[in-house]
Amino acid sequence: EAGASVLVLRACLALLASPIYLLSFLGIWEPFCRKVFFPFILDQICIAHDKKSKKHKQELFRNLPDFRGPSGELKLLEIGTGNGSNFQFYPPGCKVTCTDINPNFQQSLSRNMEKNRHLHFERFLVAAGEDLRQVPSGSVDAVVCTLVLCSVHSVSSTLREVLRVLRPGGAFYFLEHVAAEHSSWKYFWQQVCYPTWKLVFAGCCLTRELWKNLEEAKFSELKIQHISVAMPWMPIEPHIVGYGVK
């Protein structure tokens, strides 16, 4: 019953988005999405999402200074920095290495760097979360990843890289949208939107149960909280937030 309804509604949604499917078929959508659409739309979504998640982020990053290295410095690597909306939450003097698979966020990223002069920006790497080979093993005190694990090709490979670059005792901070409760309407709509959403939003998957990947990764200590970040008309309300220690 539900399966059939999902397929019918998926088809309706694909029909509405048929120009995008056509552009994708012709090989035009992806470069346009990466260069123009996604950086623009992400800016808009981030403004709304930041308002809703600000309290959660303040709470999440409050203990970042506890993970300073033996030298008293805090070396932080952010995976999927995007436009740099997390910079405001990092403690003064923090040394930040930014990474993103998409180098087209320059304008909004520069704007956020200007606003956050309390940080030292070390370098910007164009890199996927699964492949941080430019970062030496055990070289950072904290890794941050927000709204990124939904679109990496492999969550487990990304978490392996996180654990590799962290020094022992370092921490991985995350805030991610996840699959809703399977028996809920929210999950039903996530399934309906899934293929079209993934195409439009640069590979973002709506139904990942990321808490399971985090529990399977080899963290010595893991704190996960399930929260709700209400985004009007968007199927990304259920979130997880927390940190894991290597």
Side-chain angles (χ1 to χ4, degrees):
E1 180 82 358
S5 319
V6 165
L7 292 177
V8 170
L9 288 165
R10 268 185 186 180
C12 296
L13 197 55
L15 203 60
L16 286 173
S18 55
I20 295 178
Y21 279 90
L22 178 64
L23 290 173
S24 173
F25 176 73
L26 296 172
I28 298 167
W29 174 252
E30 210 181 315
F32 170 76
C33 178
R34 215 177 31 245
K35 279 202 172 73
V36 182
F37 176 78
F38 195 58
F40 169 76
I41 205 77
L42 200 71
D43 260 1
Q44 312 311 309
I45 291 173
C46 273
I47 291 166
H49 192 278
D50 286 346
K51 278 190 189 131
K52 303 273 186 187
S53 61
K54 189 168 186 176
K55 280 204 288 284
H56 295 297
K57 283 188 177 179
Q58 282 169 334
E59 185 60 37
L60 172 65
F61 295 126
R62 186 174 290 159
N63 69 345
L64 256 176
D66 298 351
F67 291 98
R68 284 197 181 105
S71 65
E73 284 183 339
L74 180 69
K75 289 185 180 168
L76 184 148
L77 172 87
E78 181 162 2
I79 297 176
T81 306
N83 59 13
S85 60
N86 288 328
F87 294 160
Q88 55 183 312
F89 303 107
Y90 300 159
C94 177
K95 292 191 163 180
V96 183
T97 296
C98 305
T99 73
D100 206 292
I101 195 168
N102 185 346
N104 297 299
F105 291 102
Q106 249 52 51
Q107 263 179 315
S108 44
L109 184 63
S110 306
R111 213 168 38 238
N112 272 325
M113 283 176 158
E114 274 301 300
K115 273 190 211 156
N116 292 281
R117 291 290 186 83
H118 66 292
L119 305 174
H120 298 297
F121 295 102
E122 300 266 82
R123 53 186 183 148
F124 181 89
L125 306 173
V126 178
E130 299 92 330
D131 180 11
L132 300 170
R133 71 179 77 169
Q134 301 169 70
V135 184
S137 300
S139 65
V140 297
D141 305 304
V143 176
V144 171
C145 186
T146 62
L147 304 183
V148 172
L149 293 178
C150 56
S151 55
V152 296
H153 288 302
S154 164
V155 179
S156 53
S157 305
T158 303
L159 292 177
R160 267 200 300 279
E161 278 291 77
V162 165
L163 283 162
R164 180 185 67 76
V165 302
L166 275 175
R167 65 164 174 80
F172 171 58
Y173 287 79
F174 54 88
L175 182 140
E176 299 283 345
H177 68 83
V178 291
E181 182 61 51
H182 281 210
S183 57
S184 67
W185 274 109
K186 281 177 195 146
Y187 185 68
F188 175 81
W189 286 113
Q190 283 180 334
Q191 286 184 294
V192 168
C193 297
Y194 188 97
T196 299
W197 182 274
K198 189 175 180 183
L199 174 67
V200 174
F201 292 102
C204 171
C205 299
L206 289 170
T207 54
R208 287 187 173 172
E209 300 179 330
L210 295 168
W211 62 92
K212 292 181 179 174
N213 300 92
L214 285 156
E215 281 159 6
E216 283 161 15
K218 305 276 192 289
F219 290 104
S220 62
E221 183 191 334
L222 183 63
K223 297 207 176 343
I224 299 185
Q225 197 185 348
H226 288 257
I227 59 167
S228 175
V229 178
M231 298 286 289
W233 299 102
M234 297 187 96
I236 56 168
E237 191 176 312
H239 282 58
I240 55 169
V241 61
Y243 66 94
V245 179
K246 174 171 170 175

